[in-house]
Amino acid sequence: MKHIFITTLKQSIESWLKAFPQLTTIADVVSADVAGASIIWVHAQIEQGNQWRKHVQQILTFLPSAKVIVLSNNPEQAEAMQALELGAVGYLHAYAHQHVLQEVYSVVSHGGVWLGRDVLKHLITLTTRGNPQPDATEEILDGLTKREREVALEAAKGNSNKEIARALSISERTVKAHLTSVFDTLKVRDRLHLALVLQGKSAQGHFSHDENVQKDSLNKLHLNS
């Protein structure tokens, strides 16, 4: 797999090299340089301002099928939302651990989107305005065990596995097992999709233009837990 990192750094960050020893770094987007790359990492550096936005747009113009991941020196919710709007499928800290980088790669290469917990919670707030009807929620959760229901309701809030484990006094491994069962039983993809289902809403066609959210990416959202 060809990994290209767009950055002005003269030397790659150590975790990048450990995660992808054969990576290639370039300072600007040139069609010949990015040709054939399926995963392209764009470094959002504070001193470069909004240059990263231009890079994302250029990459997706040259390679519409490319999966672009934004690595930010100063991650923040607004910037993450901008990245999604532009078409990026991943957003995380530029100095994330090598194992996190490898997991991000695994998620996006299989069609998922990688975002942090705070961004996911914000998206859930945007897309699940209003309160679900208790009877409808009970009907949706009818096929789950009592514990699975508890886990499902916590996950639908955008809580991470660690937060759910703490709230329900169970292990993270148990949370993961319950979530796997919940997603399979309810035929949902992720926490956001679960939240939408419990609201009686479809993940497709729900987002307004004003919310500036890329619908296709949100259909396969992954929470960095």
Side-chain angles (χ1 to χ4, degrees), residues 13-27:
I13 294 173
E14 185 179 2
S15 59
W16 299 359
L17 289 169
K18 287 184 176 179
F20 313 109
Q22 303 303 316
L23 67 82
T24 298
T25 60
I26 55 178

Side-chain angles (χ1 to χ4, degrees), residues 26-196:
I26 55 178
D28 208 345
V29 178
V30 178
S31 58
D33 291 334
V34 299
S38 55
I39 303 287
I40 301 177
W41 307 72
V42 175
H43 191 192
Q45 300 164 259
I46 298 175
E47 61 272 18
Q48 295 294 317
N50 287 324
Q51 183 68 17
W52 67 271
R53 293 170 57 90
K54 179 181 177 181
H55 288 158
V56 173
Q57 292 172 322
Q58 289 176 324
I59 291 166
L60 293 177
T61 296
F62 293 143
L63 291 172
S65 62
K67 297 180 185 299
V68 179
I69 301 167
V70 176
L71 295 160
S72 178
N73 277 8
N74 185 35
E76 56 182 31
Q77 184 173 289
E79 188 175 71
M81 297 297 286
Q82 290 174 4
L84 277 182
E85 181 186 352
L86 290 171
V89 295
Y91 180 87
L92 69 157
H93 202 295
Y95 288 83
H97 192 276
Q98 66 187 81
H99 293 157
V100 174
L101 295 174
Q102 290 169 337
E103 186 175 353
V104 172
Y105 158 64
S106 177
V107 168
V108 301
S109 64
H110 287 87
V113 173
W114 183 279
L115 293 175
R117 181 176 63 253
D118 291 342
V119 177
L120 178 61
K121 286 186 175 181
H122 178 62
L123 290 175
I124 287 178
T125 298
L126 284 177
T127 58
T128 60
R129 291 168 178 155
N131 297 316
Q133 297 298 317
D135 291 343
T137 300
E138 281 301 312
E139 184 177 348
I140 293 170
L141 300 178
D142 186 55
L144 305 179
T145 66
K146 179 181 178 181
R147 182 61 87 182
E148 286 173 347
R149 291 186 185 195
E150 293 173 339
V151 170
L153 291 172
E154 290 294 323
K157 298 175 185 176
N159 291 334
S160 69
N161 291 350
K162 182 178 295 185
E163 290 172 325
I164 297 172
R166 187 182 303 116
L168 301 180
S169 298
I170 56 179
S171 69
E172 288 186 57
R173 178 176 297 182
T174 300
V175 171
K176 290 181 180 180
H178 284 317
L179 277 179
T180 297
S181 179
V182 168
F183 291 167
D184 183 60
T185 300
L186 300 184
K187 308 302 181 189
V188 298
R189 293 176 291 272
D190 45 56
R191 287 164 168 81
L192 179 60
H193 192 184
L194 175 62
L196 290 170

